[in-house]
Amino acid sequence: MSRRGTGPRLAVNPITCLAHGMCAELLPEYVKLDEWGYPILNGDPLPPDLVAHAKRAVADCPTLALRLDPTS
Ligand code: SF4
């Protein structure tokens, strides 16, 4: 799906996600949508050049369902 990095990982709360699909528009390299519009995330650590895009996707999620988890 994309390059593997060493940054944080995207995660979604499936309870609060309402399938707006904005995250897939803002970060298509790491988010695809299923047939109902719910995000399918690439769980690999983000490469450095995509972290800013991921932060924007997290900030713009209308229901605050998207988050970045630190890579352990
Ligand atoms: S933008 Fe938020 S609510 Fe919309 S699909 Fe993505 S995670 Fe779900």
Side-chain angles (χ1 to χ4, degrees), residues 2-63:
S2 73
R3 300 149 292 142
R4 187 184 172 91
T6 57
R9 299 171 195 265
L10 269 180
V12 66
N13 181 336
I15 305 298
T16 54
C17 173
L18 294 179
H20 291 93
M22 197 178 300
C23 50
E25 291 181 26
L26 292 173
L27 196 62
E29 299 90 342
Y30 263 59
V31 184
K32 306 295 179 202
L33 299 179
D34 69 12
E35 60 188 296
W36 298 283
Y38 285 93
I40 302 169
L41 305 181
N42 178 339
D44 290 341
L46 287 151
D49 58 310
L50 287 182
V51 171
H53 291 276
K55 286 181 177 177
R56 177 159 177 221
V58 167
D60 286 359
C61 171
T63 63

